[in-house]
Structures are given as structure tokens and as C-alpha cells.
Amino acid sequence: MNSSNKNLLYSELSKLLENDDEFIYSIPWIQPVKIDEYKINNDYSFIINKSIKNFIFVLFKSIFELCINLIKFIMSFFAKEHNHFPKTDFIILSHLINKDLVKQKKDFYFGNLQEKLELNNIHTLKLFINHTSAKFKKNIFKDCAVIPKISSSKIELQILKTQISLFFSCIKRLSTLRKKKLKYDLICIFLLKIFSFHTQSALRIGFQVKDIINKTSANYLITTFEGHSFEKVICILCKNIKTFAYQNTPLSPCQFSMLHNNNKSLPKIIFTKNHLYKNYLENKVPNLNKIISAGDLKFEKIICEKTNKIKNSVLFIPEGIESEVSIMISFIKKHHKKNSNINFNIRFHPIFPKKKIERYQLLFANSKNVSFSINTISKDLETNDYVIYRGSNLIFEATRSGLTPLYLDNGIDVNVLKILNLNYYSINFDNDFNFAFLQSLNSNSNTDEKFASLFYPFNYKSILNEL
């Protein structure tokens, strides 16, 4: 994907976001978190290549999403309303990527934040957005709750009214959109996406959180700052609460959604992992309220015995996205047979479905030098010498552990080490890959020193001082 096509997509989506209606930020389709090859090929290809076939595919996909929207609205009339939330001061909005996380104190995204706040006599309630297929007999537990995927008819009616209102608001602006030289096919899909179940979901989370805030009398809320539409909707709807956001995700050159906001869709305060991320967001995100470099909520000291490392073993760490896994699997398929002296070890993101992992395992059933990790993260970092990455957050821990980082260059740049100006090697997907190449690489002597200044424990006083 060349830079001119990428710039075209940035330009077209940015024009759609120039709308006076604040709920324009509830439509995920016009503000992807990242613009990568998968997104372009599946959601925006007709914009780039002007293909009627691709437009028809996206058109029917959008109509299908609209139908799901209506089905979920009908199902809401049979959903139970949850009213018995405990009184609380501070709400932590996290993500449930494994059903067992409801039993654990330490959060996958926010670490020990809940425990630290409780120690300072701040009563907290953790809310989980359910990304699993798990169903719970009860949604509310001692100090956490799982937000239902379908809410009460009262909230679903609010969602539908908002979608209808936004639709007519955009209809009134059709002439303005045409003046911006936007094509009719793009405008058509955009209007359909207003009624997508993805838009419905973003609005649902916003209205659900607002409802829980009212029921708990909470004064503060913290969510992730990754560019998701629901994050913006919460800020728009919850005007009577002080909203915080934590920049959990590593930033990369393909970032899009978090760079497009207005003053209503942004939290009151953003906490970043380090000063470089803070400077980047200050330069890229308009209308920022306040931003604080606070540190890493999940920071842990790493002691790695380099003598245990296997000098010809490469760890692959794809993101939990089908397209990113596919890129790395394809790279391994291309090179593993002619490199029998290299161990190819792939570690999947915990959110990636086990059934899909099993399908990939079948591809390498007879391969002696390809393995699918079932080890702990620390064990993988101890036993591998190189790490091939693209957009995975795990690359920071791997580099701190002494693995030599190799960025797999394929299509749009998603390199998460680039913004931090950290040392790495780059390998092109189409180039040769062999043991001689690995032996030619040197470990980065100044990596430990750079990480010491960029990754450090979270300063909890930065939050406490704002309460």
C-alpha cells in the first residue's frame, strides 16, 4: 500500500468527521483505531481502487450490520435491567478478554490501580466490557461488574433515537459533503454505518456507563485511551463526572482515531506511559485538556538470564488480529523449510481464539522447527534470542529482556518502536531470511539505558492529586 493511497483514505475519513453533531464520533467505521492493510482491504478498498465489486460487498455488509442492529434492539425488550450497583467513588472501565479476569485483583489493562485506590480509602468499582462469549449467571460481583451485551429497552431506545437524530443531521449536510468532493458511494456507506451494530455498540457502552454512574453516584471514571468510539461517547455523555484516560496501547505511525476529536469527546485528563508519548499526543491531538506523563501501570522489573537463550530461536509476537497473525504465519510458511537450523516459535495474543490457533497448528503438524508457545511470557523471553514483531505491545518486554528486535515490514507501517526512537532491525517480508542474517545482527548496547528513561512504574500520586 503506497503512501498516496494511505493519505487519500486519511483525507476522505477526516472530511466525514468534520460534522457539528458530536455523536459523529460514535461511528467506528469512519474512525478506525489504526489504518492498516486489513482495514483497507476489508472496509475501505472501494475508496482506494474505485471498484464496483468492492463497493457492492461493503454495501451488503453494511446492510447486514443494520439488520443485526435491529435484531439486538428487539432482543432488548427481553433483557433484564440491573439496578443494584454498589455506591462508589471511582469507576475503572476495563476489558474482559478472559472470563477468569473477574476473579483477579490485578487487571490486564490497569494493573493494581484498583488496589492502590482502595488503600487510599477511595471506593472503586471495576466495570468490564465483555469481549468474550462467556455468559454469567450474575453480572455484578463484590468489586466489579460485567456490562451486559444487550441492555434494557430503555437504553436501547436512547441508542436508536441517537442514531436516527445523527442520520438526519448528516442528511442535512449532504450538500456540504458533496462540496468536499466526497463520492456518492462513500456517502452512501457512511449513512448506512450510522445504523451499524458497531455504532450501536459504542453508543450502548456510553449510555450504560452513564446509567451506572447515576446509580453509583460516582465522581470519577477512568478508561483506556486507544481511540475507540465508545471512549469518545463516554466523554460526550458523562459531562457531570471527571473523566480520566490511560494510554495503554503503544502508539504507531498508523494511528488514526485518537488523533481526531473535539473538546467534548476527550477526557479531562490523559495519563501517558512516558514523556515521549506525552509529547507525541500534544503535537498530534487537537483540543487536549490536560496530559500527564505518569508511567506504566503494569511495569515490572525484568531479570533475564541470557545464558539460557537459544541462539537460533526466533519468537514471533503478532497482535490479536487475524490479519496480523496471517502475516506472520505466511512468513513462517515461506521460510521454515529452507531454514531447518532456525526455531520458529509463535506466541499468540491471549485474546486470539483457540480454535483458530488449532487450525494454524495443523499447517505445521509435520514441522520440527515450528512451535506454538504454551509457556509463560517469562519463559519465552528467557529461551529465545530474537523477536519478530509489528504492532504488539509485548515487544517492549521482549526488548527489555535482551531479545534482538526485528520489525517485519509488510505494507503500512505499524512499527511501535519507531515513535520512541528505539533501536531495532527491519526485515522485508519478501526478502530472504536465514541464519547468516541473524548472526550478522548485533544486540543493541544502549537499549537498557533507553528503556530505563522511557518505561518506569506508574506514579499513583498523579491520579490522587487530581481527585
Side-chain angles (χ1 to χ4, degrees), residues 233-393:
V233 174
I234 287 171
C235 293
I236 291 168
L237 289 174
C238 304
K239 298 183 174 105
N240 297 323
I241 191 172
K242 193 166 186 178
T243 51
F244 302 139
Y246 171 60
Q247 173 252 317
N248 168 74
T249 186
L251 306 182
S252 72
C254 66
Q255 225 69 53
F256 182 82
S257 179
M258 69 164 53
L259 311 183
H260 292 77
N261 289 277
N262 65 14
N263 57 354
K264 292 182 180 179
S265 65
L266 283 164
K268 297 294 188 296
I269 300 173
I270 297 171
F271 298 97
T272 66
K273 286 188 173 182
N274 57 54
H275 64 279
L276 282 185
Y277 283 140
K278 177 178 181 289
N279 295 339
Y280 177 83
L281 293 175
E282 283 178 331
N283 292 328
K284 295 286 187 179
V285 182
N287 305 305
L288 278 176
N289 294 303
K290 186 176 182 179
I291 187 165
I292 299 172
S293 175
D296 188 352
L297 277 167
K298 294 175 62 183
F299 179 86
E300 292 182 1
K301 288 185 178 180
I302 292 178
I303 300 174
C304 189
E305 296 291 339
K306 295 188 178 182
T307 55
N308 292 335
K309 293 184 182 297
I310 303 170
K311 293 300 180 183
N312 62 341
S313 187
V314 182
L315 180 65
F316 291 77
I317 51 170
E319 293 179 86
I321 307 169
E322 178 76 39
S323 59
E324 288 297 311
V325 171
S326 179
I327 289 172
M328 293 202 174
I329 290 292
S330 297
F331 183 83
I332 294 172
K333 283 174 63 179
K334 182 179 179 182
H335 295 287
H336 81 282
K337 288 184 178 179
K338 57 186 178 182
N339 288 289
S340 58
N341 57 341
I342 296 177
N343 293 320
F344 296 79
N345 184 21
I346 183 166
R347 180 179 186 87
F348 291 91
H349 191 282
I351 201 173
F352 197 72
K354 290 183 179 179
K355 288 185 178 180
K356 291 185 178 180
I357 295 176
E358 292 170 358
R359 188 184 70 201
Y360 284 123
Q361 286 176 318
L362 291 174
L363 294 175
F364 301 98
N366 300 317
S367 302
K368 295 181 179 180
N369 63 331
V370 179
S371 60
F372 292 71
S373 176
I374 56 173
N375 298 324
T376 61
I377 292 175
S378 59
K379 185 67 175 177
D380 277 339
L381 299 184
E382 285 176 5
T383 55
N384 290 276
D385 200 46
Y386 305 91
V387 56
I388 290 183
Y389 74 100
R390 281 173 53 77
S392 172
N393 196 22

Side-chain angles (χ1 to χ4, degrees), residues 96-100 129-136 149 351:
L96 190 69
I97 59 173
N98 184 314
K99 65 179 181 179
D100 293 330
I129 299 171
N130 191 358
H131 299 283
T132 73
S133 58
K135 295 181 180 179
F136 299 89
K149 292 185 177 182
I351 201 173

Side-chain angles (χ1 to χ4, degrees), residues 53-173:
K53 180 182 178 181
N54 290 343
F55 168 72
I56 292 173
F57 171 79
V58 176
L59 177 66
F60 278 100
K61 183 179 178 181
S62 303
I63 294 171
F64 173 72
E65 291 173 356
L66 188 154
C67 293
I68 294 178
N69 183 9
L70 293 174
I71 291 170
K72 287 192 172 185
F73 174 71
I74 294 170
M75 291 175 65
S76 71
F77 289 93
F78 304 95
K80 294 181 180 179
E81 187 171 1
H82 299 273
N83 294 310
H84 304 293
F85 290 94
K87 296 293 181 183
T88 189
D89 302 311
F90 197 110
I91 290 176
I92 300 172
L93 182 63
S94 188
H95 303 263
L96 190 69
I97 59 173
N98 184 314
K99 65 179 181 179
D100 293 330
L101 290 178
V102 296
K103 304 173 186 176
Q104 299 176 13
K105 272 287 184 182
K106 189 172 183 179
D107 187 73
F108 187 82
Y109 290 82
F110 293 96
N112 294 318
L113 177 61
Q114 187 173 24
E115 181 183 356
K116 294 290 185 181
L117 291 173
E118 293 283 356
L119 288 173
N120 284 273
N121 297 317
I122 299 166
H123 188 209
T124 63
L125 174 67
K126 188 191 297 181
L127 296 180
F128 283 111
I129 299 171
N130 191 358
H131 299 283
T132 73
S133 58
K135 295 181 180 179
F136 299 89
K137 291 182 179 179
K138 63 175 185 176
N139 283 62
I140 304 171
F141 304 89
K142 182 181 177 181
D143 56 1
C144 68
V146 180
I147 299 176
K149 292 185 177 182
I150 297 179
S151 197
S152 64
S153 56
K154 176 184 174 183
I155 288 179
E156 298 296 333
L157 278 170
Q158 289 177 307
I159 296 168
L160 184 60
K161 286 178 182 178
T162 304
Q163 289 177 299
I164 292 172
S165 174
L166 178 58
F167 177 79
F168 284 108
S169 171
C170 294
I171 289 290
K172 290 177 183 178
R173 289 177 52 83

